Amino acid sequence: MTLKGATTSQACAACKYQRKRCTPECALAPHFRPEHPTVFRNVHKLFGVRKILRILEEIDHYQQPEAMRSIIYEANMRDQFPVHGCLGVICELWCQIRQAEDELRSVLTRLAFYKQDHEQQRTTALSPVVFRGSLQLGMAIAPPDIAPLTLFQDEATTTMPISSHNNTGMCINTLWLQETNNTNNHHHSPLMSQPSVIEEAVNNHDGIFPFFDHIEDRQLHIDSKEKNESSLDDSCQLKLCSDNGANCCDSNGLRAPNGLCLEKLGNGSYVDMVPHPDGSNRVFVCNQQGKIWLTMVPEVGSSQSLMMDESDPFFDLSDQVQFATEMGLTSIAFHPNFTSNGRFFVAYNCDKFQQSGCEGRCSCNTDVGCDPSNDGSLQETYPCQFHVAIAEFTANGTTTSTKLSWMGHANLVEVRRIFTMGLPFEAYHAGQILFGPADGYLYFMIGDASHDADPYNFAQNKRSLLGKILRLDVDIIPSAAEISRLGLWGNYSIPKDNPYTTDKELNPEIWALGFSNPWRCSFDSENPSRFICGDIGKNQYEEIDLIKKGGNYGWRVYEGPHLFHPSHAPGGYTKPSSITPIFPLAGYNHDSIDANKGPASVIGGYFYRSATDPCLYGWYIYTDLYSYAIWATIEATENSENFKSFGVPFGCAHDSPIQCGLKPGSHGVPDLGYVVSLSEDNNKDVYLLTSSGVYRVAAPSRCGYRCAKERYSNLTKVPTSGALLKAAKFALFFLSFLVLVFL
């Protein structure tokens, strides 16, 4: 059967598959070439034509190519790696059932032993044990096969294994209780008992798992304990339990926290969250598309979620923002005097062909030895078509008002353009902005703008602003003539104590250099002089850096602590002997994570200063875009700048306001999706902003983790699912059972 009105070579793949007349007006024709019918078939099977057309209708035309690329990629991946029914889920449930059966056998075995021990104290004449545990508990289960219940046999020696644990929960020995029959005198010797060892086993609370409503919660607790034994004990053994490092250990020198507990507060993907400068529990939340909302964060331990009216944002800059995988609104920052002047700043990307006012000098220019017109390898789009910009807005009724008089929405009229710069590449341009808590200046993080290995060596070029951290004064605005004379990139002035005063080769805006893609940075709220950034690597290493004035952090000479050798370097090389690099305080190699999930991409975090989890206090928490793990680093001794790092197991609170999705094939590990950013509110609680939603670090007990410093009455939510009531009833029933059996 042929298509009407068109030959096979003329029809696009969409029309051929649908067997419809191919016309130039077909919305799908630009995306599905005639020679690639399989591509459309995969997309059609996964989404359907009407759904694809509806998606294209709901987004702007310049976003449609990116959307179609994502749709095609998802469809092809689904075709290449099909879902094999529910086999994985069935296997996981089967394993959990087997583990539950093993635990039940252990409980029944212990009950049998305790009954035997009690009866042998009441009488000198021992009789065969009648096992009644399963009947008393209302369970029709055969006696466990791991220990014989008939403890006395003629002409034989009977043994029964009972596990004993140390106070770390690890099995250290096996107690064998033995009784020998003497056939010569036909006298049964009493069972040998060891009360001290038995008491140790009974009082071992770490070996008794908490009562959970769901198998996933119980398994998460077990997994976290096992992982944590290997990942965190080393840090305590390294004598981090000094006065400064006592947060990682309890009074006995044992590791205190078992893991990091998360609660899910909201759905949706957001790129930045900033606390309200007035100190309240309100936060500004923004997405990559250009919208900002003002909302309240629920109290710790409450059942409320993060509520935002998606249709009523505080501010909407979406018509000025170029949105793509690594583009969009990247950060917001509020002036230190926002409560009186209403000034706030937005960092974003724009396309000079799509958004008005998106016009600035190209960062690839002859001053830095780069000419994009002579090198076709820079990008497929027009050179410096995309820009990074910082714009100032006001929350006041007018842009000329100096008194805060807003009614919950910002003024959409731009006050001034602080910074605009054309990008030679479409990625790796960071874009975070924040105000220094001690000096009040605006810090601007910008990457080398290259997915490649920084071929023009921008990060080491002191005349380039790429691969740098900039420090700007936005309170003193020079005249247009002065801006032109100084060669500035917008409406700002240079702080007089910037490093250029001691290094005349540096551009005056530069505070530190030698970065690949700094994402995210933060100041320690207890020690504002401590400024830390995560810097995304290229091929080998992801790093966490302690930022210092004028510091050189090595890229492209070094990638983390490793020498880097670029294969393509039209911009030349920098000799290792010519710089004094500052190496990372923490980080991880790419070969230490699962490369099948995607290339590693570190997400910098915060020094944890909240009371919610006191056992994390003082730890610097960071993670990875692909949520391989959550790491922590802690300073061995105060001001030593000697940090020790380790992985931190994490789970989701059983009473989380929004149920957490779980990673396939895991035991209760939350599926965070892609971790976009970390943030902090005015209570110093730390949040993870991910593609699957907003998560907050919660009280450890809500995940079954142990922290001796936790104030349970203030920080732990009382479960509404009836878990505590069930546990109480079970405990009461169990005690009644012991009374009936033993007395």
Side-chain angles (χ1 to χ4, degrees):
M1 180 176 179
T2 59
L3 298 175
K4 296 180 180 180
T7 65
T8 303
S9 61
Q10 294 172 331
C12 73
C15 296
K16 288 170 64 177
Y17 187 86
Q18 295 292 309
R19 299 192 180 280
K20 294 182 178 180
R21 184 185 302 275
C22 190
T23 64
E25 293 78 17
C26 176
L28 299 181
H31 309 290
F32 301 104
R33 291 182 293 179
E35 62 269 24
H36 292 157
T38 305
V39 174
F40 178 76
R41 186 177 69 249
N42 294 340
V43 172
H44 181 270
K45 288 190 328 186
L46 185 60
F47 296 98
V49 172
R50 279 185 291 181
K51 184 177 291 186
I52 299 172
L53 293 176
R54 187 164 62 250
I55 292 173
L56 296 179
E57 290 173 357
E58 292 175 354
I59 61 178
D60 294 329
H61 67 91
Y62 62 87
Q63 296 174 328
Q64 291 177 0
E66 182 71 23
M68 288 305 305
R69 282 195 294 269
S70 299
I71 290 172
I72 292 171
Y73 175 80
E74 179 69 22
N76 290 337
M77 290 298 291
R78 187 72 61 88
D79 182 68
Q80 186 178 358
F81 304 103
V83 178
H84 298 287
C86 300
L87 179 60
V89 177
I90 293 172
C91 292
E92 181 179 354
L93 291 175
W94 181 81
C95 292
Q96 293 176 358
I97 291 172
R98 288 295 301 271
Q99 187 164 8
E101 290 175 347
D102 292 341
E103 292 180 10
L104 181 59
R105 288 194 186 97
S106 177
V107 170
L108 297 178
T109 302
R110 289 195 181 193
L111 287 176
F113 167 71
Y114 296 148
K115 182 178 184 299
Q116 174 67 28
D117 184 60
H118 179 76
E119 289 185 355
Q120 65 112 19
Q121 295 179 23
R122 293 180 54 195
T123 178
T124 57
L126 295 177
S127 60
V129 174
V130 179
F131 188 84
R132 295 179 292 179
S134 61
L135 299 178
Q136 291 285 353
L137 293 175
M139 305 174 187
I141 299 177
D145 55 7
I146 61 172
L149 297 178
T150 304
L151 299 180
F152 304 96
Q153 298 175 350
D154 292 336
E155 307 288 344
T157 298
T158 303
T159 60
M160 175 177 169
I162 299 293
S163 296
S164 177
H165 297 68
N166 62 2
N167 54 3
T168 64
M170 300 297 291
C171 183
I172 57 173
N173 58 52
T174 301
L175 170 64
W176 291 95
L177 299 179
Q178 179 172 310
E179 191 274 335
T180 304
N181 245 348
N182 189 336
T183 56
N184 294 330
N185 56 15
H186 302 284
H187 177 72
H188 291 291
S189 300
L191 183 68
M192 300 296 294
S193 64
Q194 302 182 25
S196 60
V197 181
I198 297 172
E199 182 179 356
E200 177 186 351
V202 173
N203 291 333
N204 172 27
H205 302 293
D206 284 346
I208 302 175
F209 300 124
F211 193 91
F212 294 109
D213 277 348
H214 303 289
I215 291 179
E216 290 84 1
D217 298 325
R218 173 191 56 76
Q219 187 60 46
L220 170 62
H221 175 76
I222 297 170
D223 290 348
S224 65
K225 288 174 68 67
E226 292 174 350
K227 293 178 183 177
N228 213 41
E229 293 297 335
S230 60
S231 62
L232 295 187
D233 277 348
D234 291 343
S235 62
C236 290
Q237 293 170 2
L238 291 171
K239 299 183 179 179
L240 290 180
C241 297
S242 59
D243 291 340
N244 180 66
N247 299 307
C248 77
C249 304
D250 60 20
S251 58
N252 297 320
L254 300 173
R255 172 191 38 75
N258 297 108
L260 188 147
C261 186
L262 299 173
E263 60 176 341
K264 188 175 182 180
L265 297 182
N267 294 310
S269 179
Y270 304 97
V271 70
D272 201 7
M273 186 170 80
V274 179
H276 199 294
D278 65 1
S280 67
N281 63 340
R282 294 182 294 173
V283 292
F284 294 93
V285 183
C286 60
N287 66 12
Q288 201 173 345
Q289 289 85 344
K291 292 184 179 180
I292 303 173
W293 291 269
L294 175 61
T295 186
M296 304 276 287
V297 293
E299 294 184 3
V300 173
S302 72
S303 60
Q304 297 179 345
S305 59
L306 197 65
M307 302 298 294
M308 285 182 292
D309 185 354
E310 297 287 338
S311 63
D312 186 28
F314 162 77
F315 187 72
D316 187 353
L317 195 67
S318 54
D319 61 338
Q320 294 297 314
V321 171
Q322 174 66 22
F323 171 63
T325 303
E326 294 193 45
M327 289 189 177
L329 193 156
T330 55
S331 184
I332 54 175
F334 292 85
H335 193 276
N337 298 324
F338 172 79
T339 54
S340 59
N341 61 30
R343 300 174 66 192
F344 70 97
F345 303 81
V346 181
Y348 61 94
N349 299 113
C350 58
D351 183 340
K352 69 179 182 180
F353 297 138
Q354 299 289 341
Q355 289 90 25
S356 61
C358 183
E359 190 69 41
R361 283 184 289 156
C362 184
S363 56
C364 177
N365 53 58
T366 55
D367 291 340
V368 295
C370 175
D371 185 358
S373 63
N374 294 333
D375 193 335
S377 65
L378 280 178
Q379 61 179 36
E380 296 179 359
T381 56
Y382 189 82
C384 284
Q385 174 180 340
F386 301 109
H387 287 60
V388 59
I390 304 174
E392 179 183 343
F393 297 90
T394 180
N396 294 336
T398 65
T399 58
T400 58
S401 174
T402 58
K403 184 178 180 181
L404 190 62
S405 59
W406 64 297
M407 298 299 294
H409 295 82
N411 193 313
L412 294 177
V413 179
E414 184 177 323
V415 176
R416 64 176 61 88
R417 183 62 56 90
I418 299 297
F419 187 96
T420 310
M421 182 172 67
L423 299 169
F425 302 92
E426 298 182 30
Y428 269 56
H429 38 73
Q432 183 187 8
I433 54 175
L434 53 85
F435 281 94
D439 54 30
Y441 292 125
L442 184 68
Y443 289 77
F444 179 32
M445 278 55 74
I446 185 165
D448 64 13
S450 168
H451 259 318
D452 201 356
D454 191 11
Y456 282 90
N457 202 19
F458 291 131
Q460 287 298 321
N461 192 323
K462 295 182 179 181
R463 308 311 300 174
S464 170
L465 300 187
L466 295 174
K468 311 295 192 300
I469 293 178
L470 313 182
R471 184 173 180 249
L472 313 175
D473 185 344
V474 295
D475 289 331
I476 301 176
I477 308 301
S479 65
E482 186 71 4
I483 292 173
S484 177
R485 185 183 70 83
L486 295 174
L488 304 181
W489 298 77
N491 292 286
Y492 58 87
S493 58
I494 305 297
K496 294 182 179 180
D497 60 341
N498 268 14
Y500 78 98
T501 56
T502 55
D503 187 346
K504 302 301 181 183
E505 295 182 2
L506 275 177
N507 262 12
E509 295 91 344
I510 296 173
W511 179 255
L513 70 155
F515 298 97
S516 170
N517 192 27
W519 186 269
R520 293 288 204 176
C521 304
S522 66
F523 289 92
D524 183 358
S525 59
E526 262 194 18
N527 185 3
S529 64
R530 192 150 58 176
F531 182 28
I532 291 190
C533 290
D535 190 24
I536 298 173
K538 286 295 192 292
N539 303 323
Q540 187 174 6
Y541 195 82
E542 304 296 307
E543 62 187 85
I544 300 294
D545 296 313
L546 181 61
I547 308 303
K548 297 183 178 181
K549 174 182 177 180
N552 189 331
Y553 291 85
W555 176 252
R556 183 194 59 171
V557 182
Y558 292 89
E559 183 179 6
H562 310 291
L563 277 170
F564 186 82
H565 305 284
S567 58
H568 177 62
Y573 298 87
T574 298
K575 294 182 179 179
S577 59
S578 67
I579 66 172
T580 305
I582 300 176
F583 292 116
L585 63 87
Y588 49 97
N589 286 299
H590 288 197
D591 57 11
S592 66
I593 49 89
D594 185 0
N596 293 327
K597 297 179 182 178
S601 186
V602 70
I603 306 295
Y606 288 84
F607 281 99
Y608 190 83
R609 298 298 184 185
S610 172
T612 300
D613 187 343
C615 288
L616 294 179
Y617 194 86
W619 295 17
Y620 179 82
I621 308 296
Y622 61 101
T623 184
D624 191 277
L625 170 69
Y626 298 92
S627 64
Y628 302 108
I630 295 177
W631 292 276
T633 184
I634 185 171
E635 198 170 20
T637 56
E638 189 174 2
N639 299 322
S640 67
E641 298 186 4
N642 179 22
F643 287 79
K644 302 295 182 183
S645 301
F646 39 84
V648 182
F650 61 97
C652 189
H654 67 276
D655 55 356
S656 179
I658 299 177
Q659 185 177 5
C660 297
L662 302 179
K663 287 185 177 180
S666 70
H667 296 294
V669 178
D671 186 3
L672 303 180
Y674 301 106
V675 181
V676 179
S677 183
L678 274 73
S679 62
E680 184 184 60
D681 65 15
N682 282 317
N683 293 323
K684 308 309 174 187
D685 281 307
V686 171
Y687 297 75
L688 278 72
L689 308 182
T690 79
S691 60
S692 66
V694 179
Y695 299 80
R696 176 171 61 186
V697 177
S701 61
R702 293 172 61 188
C703 286
Y705 299 141
R706 180 175 65 89
C707 174
K709 300 180 181 181
E710 181 182 355
R711 295 191 184 100
Y712 293 90
S713 59
N714 295 331
L715 298 175
T716 306
K717 174 184 172 184
V718 177
T720 58
S721 60
L724 294 181
L725 181 60
K726 293 178 183 178
K729 289 181 177 180
F730 180 82
L732 182 61
F733 181 80
F734 184 72
L735 291 175
S736 301
F737 160 72
L738 292 179
V739 171
L740 290 173
V741 173
F742 294 157
L743 298 180

